[in-house]
Amino acid sequence: MSAIPLTDTSKLCVHTITTKPWSVEEAMDKYAEAGVGGITVWRQWLEGRKISEVGDQLRACDLEIVSLCRGGFFPAATSQGLEDAIEDNRLAIREAAELGAPMIVLVCGAVPGQALDESRKQIADGIAAALPLAEDYNIRLAIEPLHPMYADDRSAINTMASANEVCDRLDHPLVGIAADVYHIWWDPDLAEQIRITGEKNRLFAYHVCDWMTPTTDLLNDRGLMGEGCIPLEEIRAMVEKAGFTGFNEVEVFSDRWWARDQDEFLTEIKKAYLNHT
Ligand code: ZN
């Protein structure tokens, strides 16, 4: 099964971290000029700025603010650590509201040496504690399952099934899933899990990039779509079949691409989006 080819960039969203050398101001001008439809803003890009003003500038550029990245990192070894994590997520919710972002992506966290089941419980409890504030501002919380190579310290949620379990536990319309191909492309249950996620109205976001062979860095060696081995068109077909109509968000952490001219990179992003996504 393959998806219908993408013919324009109206559903293309770029994460500010993808063009890491650019400030949020540079990124918004360049994205808008290139016809990019949406932007996901990473919190570091808001540092030292009046967040509501950045939101106004983004809207003036006609960029749809897709999400704020990121909240999460709920698990901790101490009760103070757990409380601090919840506070930081509440702060992220306020920042999203100020920016005008309808959603926060959650990288859920893990503590090396702590049982993953315990971390999953802390993640569910942490999201539950942040939910009342998310309700006040109507901000959606999207759990992003991370590839199992990050299970030690970045996330105890490593599959769509595991993310769906947390969603089932919380059973709340503001809690759903951000499906990122980098983390889930290998999963033999992917098609079924995406189907279930859509059926339960919790497929909130779709992130794309590619998997390089060999991968030289576990974090900062993602490929641009078409450079690696992820069956992107097949996965987009699954996501669309599940009812997803949102943005295809390009999220590439790559030392290799960050070292290049970012204007050229953005041109390559558009090409890769239209031809390999
Ligand atoms: Zn992602």
Side-chain angles (χ1 to χ4, degrees), residues 93-242:
I93 290 166
R94 287 188 204 98
E95 289 173 2
E98 218 184 310
L99 185 67
M103 173 166 63
I104 297 175
V105 178
L106 302 179
V107 170
C108 288
V111 176
Q114 175 167 289
L116 292 174
D117 255 349
E118 176 61 17
S119 290
R120 289 183 197 117
K121 188 184 169 299
Q122 291 178 347
I123 289 164
D125 290 348
I127 296 172
L131 256 176
L133 191 66
E135 281 174 352
D136 288 349
Y137 292 108
N138 197 30
I139 304 287
R140 302 205 284 180
L141 305 176
I143 298 168
E144 178 167 305
L146 255 53
H147 190 282
M149 70 177 168
Y150 301 118
D152 59 338
D153 65 351
R154 298 181 79 78
S155 187
I157 309 287
N158 307 105
T159 58
M160 292 288 286
S162 180
N164 266 308
E165 270 170 39
V166 175
C167 292
D168 285 340
R169 234 147 115 175
L170 294 166
D171 191 24
H172 194 289
L174 290 178
V175 180
I177 296 176
D180 183 326
V181 296
Y182 192 72
H183 301 296
I184 57 174
W185 69 276
W186 55 273
D187 186 345
D189 293 328
L190 189 59
E192 177 62 4
Q193 284 297 324
I194 286 177
R195 187 192 66 75
I196 292 168
T197 307
E199 195 176 79
K200 296 190 172 179
N201 294 317
R202 57 170 76 133
L203 187 50
F204 286 0
Y206 181 54
H207 297 175
V208 296
C209 65
D210 216 334
W211 184 281
M212 301 302 291
T213 307
T215 290
T216 58
D217 185 294
L218 296 187
L219 196 59
N220 295 326
D221 187 33
R222 293 190 184 197
L224 193 54
M225 299 80 75
E227 288 190 306
C229 61
I230 298 179
L232 283 152
E233 285 164 57
E234 230 172 89
I235 300 177
R236 182 165 61 83
M238 291 175 197
V239 162
E240 288 174 357
K241 196 174 166 212

